[in-house]
Amino acid sequence: LFSVRSASAFLTLGEKAGLMAALLGAHGVCISGAVAEAVARASWKSLSVSEQPSRASMIRAMDKALEPH
């Protein structure tokens, strides 16, 4: 998720559509701590913040979230 505004819209639409339970299996990746705070109320499999606010850092964070543990 790239902004507080898009994160809030994502949650609002997910709630209206009844899809919030699907996030239990989803890895959320946020561009900043502020974005992570905006979506923290959802139940994610994992929620992480990229090291830097850039597309490249977001991709690295997504790769890391998907690594087998």
Side-chain angles (χ1 to χ4, degrees):
L1 298 163
F2 282 91
S3 71
V4 171
R5 186 171 146 190
S6 66
S8 295
F10 176 83
L11 287 185
T12 298
L13 293 172
E15 289 167 346
K16 285 182 180 180
L19 298 173
M20 297 307 289
L23 295 179
L24 292 170
H27 300 279
V29 178
C30 301
I31 199 160
S32 69
V35 175
E37 286 179 26
V39 296
R41 73 177 192 264
S43 297
W44 300 87
K45 183 171 186 174
S46 70
L47 183 62
S48 58
V49 177
S50 65
E51 291 180 10
Q52 298 176 2
S54 68
R55 183 175 19 179
S57 185
M58 286 285 288
I59 291 169
R60 286 190 298 274
M62 285 186 272
D63 287 342
K64 186 175 180 179
L66 295 175
E67 288 177 355
H69 297 296

